[in-house]
Amino acid sequence: MCHVLIIEDETLIALDLEDLLQSNGATSFSFAENQEDAVAAARANRPDLILSDVMLTEGTGTLAVRAIRDAYGPIPVLFITATPEACSPYALPGEIFRKPLDRPAIGAAFCRLAFAA
């Protein structure tokens, strides 16, 4: 069982990522469009993996991920963003992918992180 929190403010991208991760073994999802909702979603259902955009309409994915990891410990993270340079000041562990989506690479990274034991 693998629960994924998708933090993405573009609905079509979030749904595309859900489809991709579901085809790679994810079993359940929570969605958030902004920083505050992401932290609340993690509080409601702790994710096994977080997939996050960086720049959101309200807040940032990196700050949401930091807050979630501070509360729940190390959770694997995949950042998917048009602004990968915005990840560096936060020094969060995780893999970074540039938009547009590279579906095979994201799927492989998801499998590597979600099912590593």
Side-chain angles (χ1 to χ4, degrees):
M1 178 170 222
C2 181
H3 178 71
V4 179
L5 170 58
I6 297 177
I7 307 169
E8 172 59 64
D9 57 1
E10 295 184 45
T11 303
L12 291 178
I13 292 175
L15 293 174
D16 188 29
L17 291 167
E18 176 189 29
D19 180 62
L20 172 64
L21 299 185
Q22 194 168 38
S23 70
N24 279 282
T27 54
S28 63
F29 298 88
S30 295
F31 297 90
E33 294 183 357
N34 61 56
Q35 182 177 327
E36 183 179 333
D37 289 349
V39 174
R43 192 176 306 120
N45 193 353
R46 183 193 185 279
D48 298 305
L49 184 133
I50 301 169
L51 194 147
S52 181
D53 192 357
V54 174
M55 305 306 290
L56 305 171
T57 54
E58 294 179 32
T60 70
T62 49
L63 290 177
V65 168
R66 175 171 282 179
I68 293 165
R69 289 174 57 104
D70 285 349
Y72 298 104
I75 297 171
V77 180
L78 295 175
F79 288 105
I80 301 176
T81 180
T83 56
E85 61 281 354
C87 291
S88 62
Y90 301 100
L92 289 170
E95 294 192 37
I96 302 169
F97 294 91
R98 181 180 285 280
K99 289 180 180 176
L101 303 181
D102 179 345
R103 292 176 59 84
I106 293 167
F110 166 76
C111 290
R112 190 171 49 255
L113 292 175
F115 302 112

